[in-house]
Amino acid sequence: MHLAYPAVLAALLFCTGLYGVLARRNAILVLMSVELMLNAVNLNLVAFDVWLRDALHAGQALTLFTIAIAAAEIGIGLAIVLMVYRNRGTSDVDRLRDTAEGHEPDPNGPNAPNGKTAPNNQSEVTA
């Protein structure tokens, strides 16, 4: 078996996954694209393991480890996406920028409790 066939297929899979990560806005499609990239790496690991005729089959063992890590990653990632969708109503990656650290809601904004504004933290100087 030539090494070029699985290597070219893995490169195509990886490029397709990379395009999906960079171009998609839906978080679930981004996770699926990351899985596609991991499967391309797994294909390369097994192909090089067979081509090098490794006695320990280190490439196949590393592939099993990568599959286990990918399963855990997709489980945790999907749980996070579902919680974000439940709280925000969308899984659009661009609309989730306000969840980043440092973007806290305005205490005097329209969602202030009981329609009251938050007290001003500046103390008044009395003479």
Side-chain angles (χ1 to χ4, degrees), residues 55-76:
L56 296 176
H57 299 293
Q60 293 178 18
L62 192 57
T63 298
L64 289 175
F65 181 71
T66 307
I67 290 171
I69 294 297
E73 175 256 334
I74 199 68
I76 292 172

Side-chain angles (χ1 to χ4, degrees), residues 21 23 33 50 61 66-67 70-71 81 110 112:
V21 167
S33 297
V50 170
T66 307
I67 290 171
V81 168

